[in-house]
């Protein structure tokens, strides 16, 4: 048999591997599309189980059985989430509603300030450039107002009903509990189902996927939470109107490269300018909060918590968010980053296999360096 297509024993040829993974992704996307209306508690429950499994495993090492360890960890998490919900969510919701309602007013105030500064702008930039700056600011503010209206309508249109909220709150911990309870047996079952000859190769891919997923869910999730807490706390401490809401928005959007920072920075600077001017040092303080934390995040938090485990191009990540969000709604947004991470692992694996194949190396390097024919 030709070694160019078969390769050494224990490895799959490139064509079969590509077909298998393409088929897997087609099946996965089709399943997501069919069941997209009921997936939310299962997706969140699975992510919660994946996130909490190391804690459950640690409790097992301390002589807890799997059932008790799962129950203890989940009850602690539910208690923490419930406490946060009771103490913070009503205040955050009030601020977000107020922010959305006040945004058009902030836009009008900023536009008025720009007109007030028109003589100085004419003197600094010249009449033509000053007029161009004024038009640009006016257009941007109009877009902000329009965006706020769209966001409000989308939230109202896609908001969860009381029944769906109750269902989500009940089913999500149940899904997480049973996944955590059977986690080890599911992993062993998956291991036993793998083809024996290709098992080492597939396990290597799965380890890379696990590392990437850990970077997404645990590492990126940790950065997201820390960002949200810092921005919300810092902006509230300086007395920025709706600082808690703006900070949480900036932090929670930070999983999209540059979007969380950009949205939070634009909102904060606009509000600070209207609220604090002519106390320019307060505006500068808000500016320093974002710039300083961006430096800390990029040089301390991200390398420590995430490192190079995700290794996703920001353009590919934004495309995945837009595409999956358009196809599957909110569930698609939740799945976009993990699936992009998995896709990145598989693409890198495919590139490695391609570079080791006879198609790339040429017929004289067929298979793994053996003769072109057997």
């Amino acid at each position: 048999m030709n070694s160019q297509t078969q390769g050494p024993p224990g490895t799959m040829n490139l064509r079969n591997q590509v077909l298998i993974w393409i088929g897997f992704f087609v099946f996965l996307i089709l399943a997501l599309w069919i069941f997209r209306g009921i997936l939310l508690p299962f997706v969140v429950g699975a992510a919660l189980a994946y996130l909490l499994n190391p804690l459950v495993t640690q409790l097992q090492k301390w002589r807890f059985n799997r059932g008790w360890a799962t129950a203890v960890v989940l009850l602690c998490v539910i208690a923490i989430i419930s406490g946060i919900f009771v103490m913070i969510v009503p205040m955050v919701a009030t601020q977000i509603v107020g922010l959305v309602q006040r945004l058009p007013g902030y836009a009008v105030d900023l536009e008025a300030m720009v007109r007030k500064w028109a003589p100085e702008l004419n003197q600094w930039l010249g009449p033509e450039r000053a007029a161009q700056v004024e038009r640009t600011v006016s257009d941007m503010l109009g877009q902000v107002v329009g965006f706020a209206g769209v966001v409000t309508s989308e939230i109202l249109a896609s908001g969860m009903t009381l029944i769906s909220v109750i269902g989500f709150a009940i089913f999500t911990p149940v899904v997480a509990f049973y996944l955590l309870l059977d986690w080890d047996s599911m992993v062993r079952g998956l291991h036993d189902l793998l083809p024996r000859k290709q098992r080492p190769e597939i396990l290597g891919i799965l380890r890379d996927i696990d590392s990437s997923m850990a970077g997404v869910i645990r590492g990126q999730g940790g950065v997201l939470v820390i960002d949200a807490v810092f921005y919300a706390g810092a902006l509230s401490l300086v007395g920025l109107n709706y600082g808690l809401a703006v900070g949480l928005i900036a932090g929670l959007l930070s999983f999209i490269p540059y979007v969380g920072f950009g949205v939070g920075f634009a909102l904060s600077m606009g509000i600070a300018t209207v609220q604090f001017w002519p106390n320019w040092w307060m505006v500068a303080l808000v500016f320093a909060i974002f710039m300083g934390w961006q430096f800390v995040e990029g040089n301390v938090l991200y390398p420590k918590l995430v490192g190079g485990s995700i290794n996703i191009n920001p353009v590919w990540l934004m495309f995945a968010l837009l595409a999956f969000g358009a196809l599957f709604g909110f569930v698609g947004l939740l799945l976009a980053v993990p699936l992009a991470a998995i896709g990145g692992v598989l693409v890198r694996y495919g590139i490695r296999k391609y570079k080791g194949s006879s198609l790339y190396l040429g017929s004289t390097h067929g298979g793994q360096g053996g003769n072109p024919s057997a």
Side-chain angles (χ1 to χ4, degrees), residues 69-146:
T70 300
V72 168
V73 170
L74 266 183
L75 286 175
C76 290
V77 170
I78 291 172
I80 293 171
I81 293 175
S82 300
I84 293 173
F85 186 87
V86 171
M87 291 186 295
I88 297 178
V89 168
M91 181 169 53
V92 172
T94 301
Q95 284 211 11
I96 290 177
V97 171
L99 174 63
V100 172
Q101 293 175 344
R102 183 69 178 87
L103 269 181
Y106 280 125
V108 172
D109 292 342
L110 278 173
E111 192 171 0
M113 293 178 73
V114 171
R115 290 198 184 98
K116 183 179 178 181
W117 295 333
E120 288 82 358
L121 291 175
N122 285 333
Q123 184 177 358
W124 294 340
L125 303 175
E128 293 184 2
R129 290 187 178 180
Q132 184 179 2
V133 168
E134 189 173 345
R135 285 194 302 270
T136 301
V137 171
S138 179
D139 292 342
M140 290 176 60
L141 294 175
Q143 291 175 3
V144 168
V145 174

Side-chain angles (χ1 to χ4, degrees), residues 215-236:
V216 170
I217 296 179
R218 297 176 188 139
Q220 187 71 40
V223 172
L224 182 149
V225 171
I226 294 172
D227 281 352
V229 170
F230 173 79
Y231 283 133
L235 295 176
S236 298

Side-chain angles (χ1 to χ4, degrees), residues 90-367:
M91 181 169 53
V92 172
T94 301
Q95 284 211 11
I96 290 177
V97 171
L99 174 63
V100 172
Q101 293 175 344
R102 183 69 178 87
L103 269 181
Y106 280 125
V108 172
D109 292 342
L110 278 173
E111 192 171 0
M113 293 178 73
V114 171
R115 290 198 184 98
K116 183 179 178 181
W117 295 333
E120 288 82 358
L121 291 175
N122 285 333
Q123 184 177 358
W124 294 340
L125 303 175
E128 293 184 2
R129 290 187 178 180
Q132 184 179 2
V133 168
E134 189 173 345
R135 285 194 302 270
T136 301
V137 171
S138 179
D139 292 342
M140 290 176 60
L141 294 175
Q143 291 175 3
V144 168
V145 174
F147 176 74
V150 170
V151 169
T152 305
S153 62
E154 287 293 328
I155 291 174
L156 293 175
S158 62
M160 298 174 71
T161 64
L162 179 61
I163 295 177
S164 62
V165 170
I166 294 174
F168 175 80
I170 293 174
F171 282 113
T172 299
V174 171
V175 170
F177 176 81
Y178 282 109
L179 287 177
L180 277 171
L181 191 63
D182 296 331
W183 192 273
D184 291 339
S185 60
M186 288 189 299
V187 171
R188 286 194 299 269
L190 177 62
H191 184 276
D192 291 339
L193 288 175
L194 298 178
R196 292 186 178 182
K197 289 185 178 181
Q198 288 79 33
R199 186 174 294 173
E201 193 170 10
I202 297 175
L203 287 176
I205 297 173
L206 293 177
R207 280 192 293 270
D208 290 342
I209 289 175
D210 179 65
S211 175
S212 187
M213 290 286 288
V216 170
I217 296 179
R218 297 176 188 139
Q220 187 71 40
V223 172
L224 182 149
V225 171
I226 294 172
D227 281 352
V229 170
F230 173 79
Y231 283 133
L235 295 176
S236 298
L237 285 175
V238 300
L240 186 73
N241 291 340
Y242 310 109
L244 180 63
V246 173
L248 290 177
I249 290 171
L252 296 178
L253 288 178
S254 63
F255 70 95
I256 310 174
Y258 312 114
V259 171
F261 169 79
V263 171
F265 180 76
L267 285 174
S268 297
M269 291 302 295
I271 295 172
T273 302
V274 173
Q275 178 183 349
F276 296 124
W277 196 264
N279 293 329
W280 61 267
W281 59 272
M282 290 296 294
V283 180
L285 181 58
V286 173
F287 179 88
I289 286 173
F290 276 88
M291 292 303 169
W293 190 251
Q294 187 71 5
F295 177 83
V296 172
E297 179 190 311
N299 293 277
V300 179
L301 282 183
Y302 212 86
K304 292 290 185 182
L305 296 180
V306 180
S309 58
I310 298 181
N311 196 18
I312 306 175
N313 188 287
V315 175
W316 166 239
L317 181 57
M318 285 187 280
F319 172 79
L321 287 164
L322 292 174
F324 281 96
L327 285 173
F328 308 114
F330 183 67
V331 173
L333 291 176
L334 293 179
L335 290 172
V337 178
L339 290 179
I342 294 172
V345 170
L346 297 179
V347 167
R348 290 191 292 273
Y349 170 77
I351 291 173
R352 288 198 304 269
K353 296 298 292 184
Y354 165 69
K355 288 187 174 181
S357 69
S358 60
L359 181 63
Y360 178 79
L361 298 174
S363 59
T364 58
H365 296 83

